[in-house]
Amino acid sequence: MTAIKSKAYSPNLRPKKPATVKEIYRDEPETQSAAEQRITTSIKMTASLREAVKTYAFFHHTTMGDVMEEALRQWLKEHEK
């Protein structure tokens, strides 16, 4: 095991821990409001559901993400209190 030279290490050069979740994401163009910025997320679903969404998206010339986003919007609209 090699020793690290202490002169090369400075705690002040280490990146700061983010104070909020917003600090983790890189800045998006200012043309979009904060509520409408697109973010990446992941979900688990059955293989058969994924294949059905993928097939639907292909035949309707869209993306799986757009299909799922629209489905979630409709579900939320139907289940509003």
Side-chain angles (χ1 to χ4, degrees):
M1 184 179 206
T2 29
I4 298 173
K5 294 182 180 180
S6 62
K7 291 180 184 178
Y9 174 77
S10 172
N12 295 333
L13 296 177
R14 291 175 45 195
K16 292 179 9 181
K17 289 184 180 178
T20 66
V21 172
K22 288 183 178 183
E23 290 182 17
I24 296 172
Y25 296 105
R26 65 176 176 255
D27 293 333
E28 295 290 331
E30 292 183 23
T31 56
Q32 297 177 334
S33 69
E36 294 302 318
Q37 290 178 354
R38 309 229 3 134
I39 61 168
T40 301
T41 188
S42 62
I43 61 169
K44 290 188 177 194
M45 66 177 77
T46 63
S48 60
L49 177 59
R50 181 184 182 277
E51 191 62 32
V53 173
K54 190 172 186 174
T55 302
Y56 180 90
F58 175 79
F59 285 110
H60 289 87
H61 307 285
T62 188
T63 65
M64 290 178 58
D66 288 342
V67 171
M68 291 189 289
E69 187 173 333
E70 180 59 29
L72 286 169
R73 286 183 194 281
Q74 288 180 4
W75 187 90
L76 288 170
K77 187 176 180 180
E78 292 172 6
H79 292 86
E80 285 181 342
K81 291 183 178 183

